[in-house]
């Protein structure tokens, strides 16, 4: 099958293949019910994966919008002359978190943990693979974790508002 066909189409094609092969051998009610159960199971697994993906994207957007909320909170807590500085810090937090989490953050947090779940190997303190998302299959999970990393970096912007210079904040953040 081509990569552009949906999982539903693949399930349906597999159903008709088994239906054609089984119809020549057995046309009993039990065989028909078994083929129907296979089709329902295949489609429900497809739907479960789609629902999980949607939920992760939706939750990621909610967490990332927390960053905008923290920016508004910071802007309301500082003097009028420092609002632009605070908003720039929040924007740079999101950009820096994206670059940092893409390049090394995800690898440090999750690099090599997939193999340990399957083979039972001993985990290391810091990940040793998946730098720059090489070998990562589930990019939606990366997005979800990135949203948390970026939002947690923004919380620091609120605590340091009007308390340090921009250079010192960039070094810390």
């Amino acid at each position: 099958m081509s990569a552009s066909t949906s999982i539903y189409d693949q399930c349906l094609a597999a159903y008709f293949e088994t239906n054609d092969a089984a119809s020549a051998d057995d046309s009993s009610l039990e065989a028909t019910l078994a083929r129907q159960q296979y089709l329902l199971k295949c489609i429900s697994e497809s739907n479960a994966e789609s629902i999980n993906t949607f939920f992760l994207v939706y939750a990621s957007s909610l967490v990332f919008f927390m960053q905008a909320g923290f920016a508004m909170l910071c802007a309301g807590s500082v003097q009028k002359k420092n609002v632009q500085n605070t908003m720039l810090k929040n924007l740079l937090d999101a950009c820096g978190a994206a670059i940092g989490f893409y390049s090394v953050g995800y690898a440090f947090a999750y690099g090599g943990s997939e193999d340990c779940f399957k083979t039972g190997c001993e985990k290391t303190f810091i990940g040793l693979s998946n730098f720059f998302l090489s070998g990562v299959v589930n990019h939606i999970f990366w997005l979800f974790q990135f949203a948390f990393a970026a939002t947690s970096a923004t919380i620091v912007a609120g605590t340091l508002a009007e308390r340090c210079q921009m250079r010192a904040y960039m070094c810390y953040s």
Side-chain angles (χ1 to χ4, degrees), residues 28-135:
S28 67
L29 181 62
E30 291 82 18
T32 304
L33 288 175
R35 289 189 296 272
Q36 293 290 334
Q37 286 176 342
Y38 168 77
L39 182 62
L40 287 174
K41 180 181 177 190
C42 185
I43 292 171
S44 67
E45 289 172 359
S46 167
N47 288 342
E49 184 178 330
S50 299
I51 290 169
N52 287 342
T53 300
F54 171 76
F55 175 73
L56 279 176
V57 169
Y58 179 70
S60 299
S61 65
L62 289 178
V63 171
F64 200 72
F65 275 119
M66 286 173 57
Q67 190 163 6
F70 287 135
M72 296 300 120
L73 182 66
C74 289
S77 301
V78 297
Q79 296 176 15
K80 186 176 179 181
K81 66 178 184 171
N82 294 325
V83 170
Q84 288 180 339
N85 187 22
T86 302
M87 298 303 270
L88 180 63
K89 285 179 184 178
N90 284 290
L91 178 66
L92 291 177
D93 278 340
C95 297
I99 293 169
F101 201 70
Y102 167 76
S103 59
V104 295
Y106 186 83
F108 284 174
Y110 298 101
S113 62
E114 294 88 13
D115 297 328
C116 289
F117 290 133
K118 294 176 186 172
T119 61
C121 67
E122 199 167 318
K123 291 185 182 181
T124 59
F125 174 69
I126 195 166
L128 304 173
S129 62
N130 297 338
F131 289 96
F132 293 96
L133 295 183
S134 63

